[in-house]
């Protein structure tokens, strides 16, 4: 007798839902990278954007212009002639850090950020707002790798410098506090994250002239 027809093939296994697209243009975390930390960076932002000053030397905060009658304190990034090349390199390394960050190359970005921090210390000193920005960048990547204690210490050091030099309501000072809020979020410390966000909101309101501040 003829053989019976073969049984129908089993149905294909259900397809898993595709992962959500990356936020803010960042790729998905690589193995070994803390996903919660990266997600908090996507929400709150990454390393500070680099800018060239209008005239004068390279720097994140603009040139050596005098402070305006109103508005945030302007940071003097001028340097002696023998340090100008180092100042330019600080800027170039900052651009490289942001390029690596955008490509998800967090380990390489941390290495460049560490180099930049050391060069900035030797160029501007450890009591300069530029140094605080470099501290922020290193702390950002320490957070990515879940080294929260060092990240918190670096953010707090940057915040102390900024409060002293720029004032509590300066945008860069507030941005560092936002970074701390992102850190607490990544750690799962909701009460600290909420308290920091409330402080940030109060400072933003105060600096915009909408209140008396804390």
């Amino acid at each position: 007798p003829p053989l019976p027809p073969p049984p129908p093939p089993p149905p294909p296994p259900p397809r898993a839902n595709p992962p959500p697209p990356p936020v803010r243009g960042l790729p998905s975390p690589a193995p070994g990278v803390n996903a919660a930390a990266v997600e908090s960076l996507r929400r709150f932002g990454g390393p500070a954007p680099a800018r060239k000053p209008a005239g004068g030397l390279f720097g994140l905060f603009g040139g050596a212009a005098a402070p305006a009658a109103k508005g945030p304190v302007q940071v003097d990034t001028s340097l002696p002639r023998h340090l100008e090349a180092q100042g330019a390199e600080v800027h170039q390394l900052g651009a490289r850090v942001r390029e690596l960050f955008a490509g998800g190359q967090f380990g390489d970005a941390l290495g460049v950020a560490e180099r930049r921090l050391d060069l900035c210390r030797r160029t501007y000193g450890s009591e300069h707002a530029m140094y605080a920005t470099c501290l922020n960048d290193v702390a950002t990547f320490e957070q990515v790798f879940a080294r929260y204690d060092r990240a918190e210490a670096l953010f707090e050091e940057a915040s102390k410098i900024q409060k002293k030099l720029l004032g509590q309501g300066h945008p860069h000072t507030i941005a560092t506090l936002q970074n701390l809020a992102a850190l607490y979020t990544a750690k799962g410390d909701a009460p600290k994250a909420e308290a920091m966000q409330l402080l940030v909101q109060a400072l933003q309101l105060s600096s915009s002239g909408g209140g008396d501040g804390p």
Side-chain angles (χ1 to χ4, degrees):
L3 295 175
R15 296 181 60 185
N17 292 329
V23 184
R24 302 175 72 90
L26 293 178
S28 299
V33 172
N34 184 274
V38 174
E39 181 58 30
S40 71
L41 290 174
R42 289 170 172 169
R43 290 179 56 202
F44 292 93
R51 297 185 292 164
K52 291 183 181 180
L57 301 170
F58 294 111
L60 297 182
F61 301 116
K70 294 182 179 180
V73 174
Q74 300 297 308
V75 178
D76 185 355
T77 57
S78 59
L79 289 167
R81 183 173 296 276
H82 70 281
L83 291 176
E84 288 182 355
Q86 289 182 204
E89 188 177 354
V90 168
H91 171 81
Q92 292 162 1
L93 289 174
R96 180 60 177 158
V97 167
R98 276 162 283 280
E99 179 184 338
L100 292 167
F101 174 81
Q105 298 171 266
F106 302 125
D108 291 340
L110 174 58
V112 176
E114 291 273 21
R115 284 173 50 205
R116 183 176 183 238
L117 177 64
D118 179 65
L119 179 63
C120 186
R121 178 186 56 78
R122 291 185 282 111
T123 303
Y124 292 96
S126 58
E127 289 291 325
H128 195 282
M130 181 71 76
Y131 184 70
T133 294
C134 295
L135 286 168
N136 260 298
D137 283 359
V138 174
T140 293
F141 297 109
E142 291 291 352
Q143 176 181 334
V144 163
F145 290 102
R147 294 191 283 264
Y148 296 130
D149 289 344
R150 185 174 188 232
E152 186 171 2
L154 293 173
F155 281 138
E156 288 178 347
E157 184 179 354
S159 179
K160 182 179 178 181
I161 294 169
Q162 291 167 331
K163 287 176 183 177
K164 177 181 177 181
L165 298 179
L166 306 177
Q168 189 166 247
H170 193 279
H172 298 308
T173 308
I174 293 174
T176 298
L177 298 179
Q178 288 177 315
N179 289 341
L180 278 167
L183 174 67
Y184 297 141
T185 299
K187 289 174 66 174
D189 192 337
K192 273 192 171 183
E194 182 178 359
M196 188 60 70
Q197 280 295 92
L198 289 174
L199 174 60
V200 166
Q201 291 168 9
L203 291 172
Q204 289 173 330
L205 183 64
S206 176
S207 63
S208 67
D212 295 329

